[in-house]
């Protein structure tokens, strides 16, 4: 059973229709929602619970590339991911009456390295990793029963790549669009299906918490290795 949330009603209805070709209609629901609107996002979570009766998995996947309206980029790429995570924990963590679950926040390889000509996008994706790794440690210490992980894909063949060609998205970095396209050619552009494969891996593997999965055209699915173990107190 899957609930789809998107600001774009047409795209959301198309996705639901595609799922209905394979599954019964009542197993999917589409809710139009602007993730930057706190009340809309809260309401969407409530509707999902009302429709399906429970919540087991949350994927915070909304993202934009807009260096011109950078405040909006922060709101969508980072603030909304944090809010979506807290809403998911509210419904799923065991100390709050939930049954546990999984939260997966989508970052980017730009969250692990500098991204020339996309500094704000890069900053938001670094933030997603830092937040998710931190709250995952908290979840483990406090026995939330919820696992939290991050996926960091390279370039993926989705509409976000089209933003590179638009001055209203790139702003002062618009003149560097060819350099970004050269990077895309160098690193390769992946099909979304491999990201879905990584997502399923995280959902099914109960040992994963606080992990950062990297997905690239050259190396496929692998994990970021961190040398320092975060401090955890024993209460």
């Amino acid at each position: 059973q899957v609930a789809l949330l998107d600001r774009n009603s047409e795209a959301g209805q198309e996705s639901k229709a595609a799922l209905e070709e394979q599954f019964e209609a009542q197993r999917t629901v589409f809710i139009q929602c602007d993730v930057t609107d706190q009340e809309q996002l809260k309401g969407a979570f409530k509707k999902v619970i009302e429709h399906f009766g429970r919540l087991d998995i949350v994927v915070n996947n909304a993202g934009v590339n807009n260096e011109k309206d950078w405040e909006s980029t922060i709101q969508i790429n980072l603030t909304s991911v944090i809010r979506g995570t807290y809403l998911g924990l509210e419904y799923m963590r065991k100390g709050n009456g939930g049954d546990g679950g999984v939260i997966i926040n989508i970052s980017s390889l730009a969250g692990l390295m500098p991204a020339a000509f996309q500094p704000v996008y890069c900053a938001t994706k670094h933030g997603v990793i830092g937040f998710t790794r931190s709250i995952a440690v908290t979840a483990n210490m406090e026995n939330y029963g919820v696992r939290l992980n991050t996926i960091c894909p390279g370039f993926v063949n989705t509409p976000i790549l089209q933003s590179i060609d638009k001055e209203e998205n790139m702003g002062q970095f618009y003149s560097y669009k060819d350099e970004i396209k050269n990077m895309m050619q160098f690193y390769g552009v992946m099909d979304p299906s491999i990201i879905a494969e990584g997502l399923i891996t995280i959902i099914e593997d109960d040992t994963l918490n606080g992990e950062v999965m990297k997905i690239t055209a050259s190396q496929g699915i692998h994990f970021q290795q961190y040398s320092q173990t975060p401090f955890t107190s024993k209460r």
Side-chain angles (χ1 to χ4, degrees):
Q1 296 175 325
V2 178
L4 306 164
L5 276 62
D6 203 310
R7 184 170 58 184
N8 185 330
S9 178
E10 186 178 343
Q13 294 293 355
E14 285 177 3
S15 296
K16 177 171 167 51
L19 287 168
E20 285 178 1
E21 291 178 6
Q22 299 180 62
F23 308 102
E24 297 168 0
Q26 66 267 27
R27 293 183 66 183
T28 62
V29 60
F30 168 66
I31 301 167
Q32 186 174 13
C33 174
D34 181 345
V35 294
T36 66
D37 186 314
Q38 185 172 349
E39 293 308 312
Q40 277 192 39
L41 192 57
K42 280 184 179 179
F45 269 79
K46 191 176 179 183
K47 286 175 186 175
V48 171
I49 298 293
E50 288 171 353
H51 186 86
F52 292 125
R54 59 183 292 129
L55 187 65
D56 301 294
I57 302 162
V58 173
V59 181
N60 289 303
N61 183 52
V64 297
N65 171 51
N66 195 322
E67 293 295 324
K68 192 169 187 177
D69 184 4
W70 56 265
E71 293 97 336
S72 175
T73 297
I74 294 170
Q75 286 291 320
I76 295 168
N77 291 8
L78 182 55
T79 305
S80 300
V81 168
I82 293 170
R83 184 167 288 126
T85 299
Y86 281 143
L87 284 167
L89 287 172
E90 188 180 318
Y91 284 107
M92 293 192 293
R93 66 186 175 93
K94 290 182 176 178
N96 207 33
D99 295 316
V102 184
I103 297 175
I104 301 168
N105 293 331
I106 307 300
S107 179
S108 165
L109 281 187
L112 292 164
M113 62 183 71
F117 321 122
Q118 295 174 286
V120 176
Y121 178 84
C122 181
T124 62
K125 295 303 184 177
H126 272 75
V128 168
I129 293 173
F131 168 74
T132 308
R133 291 187 72 216
S134 299
I135 199 71
V137 175
T138 304
N140 186 52
M141 291 169 62
E142 296 295 314
N143 297 313
Y144 287 174
V146 180
R147 299 185 294 107
L148 300 100
N149 296 283
T150 313
I151 296 180
C152 296
F155 293 108
V156 184
N157 186 19
T158 66
I160 198 171
L161 296 185
Q162 298 166 15
S163 64
I164 293 160
D165 278 320
K166 298 175 181 177
E167 190 279 333
E168 63 264 32
N169 287 86
M170 295 305 297
Q172 62 180 311
F173 303 107
Y174 176 65
S175 60
Y176 298 102
K177 62 183 184 298
D178 290 336
E179 279 83 349
I180 299 174
K181 288 180 181 178
N182 289 338
M183 279 192 278
M184 289 167 55
Q185 191 170 6
F186 178 80
Y187 288 111
V189 178
M190 297 176 289
D191 188 84
S193 60
I194 190 173
I195 315 305
E197 187 182 331
L199 185 76
I200 292 167
T201 298
I202 288 177
I203 290 168
E204 293 181 341
D205 189 340
D206 291 338
T207 67
L208 299 177
N209 183 51
E211 299 295 335
V212 176
M213 175 184 281
K214 297 189 288 186
I215 307 178
T216 63
S218 60
Q219 293 181 268
I221 296 169
H222 56 298
F223 289 89
Q224 175 76 355
Q225 299 298 316
Y226 291 95
S227 58
Q228 191 171 0
T229 304
F231 170 80
T232 56
S233 64
K234 292 180 180 178
R235 295 175 59 182

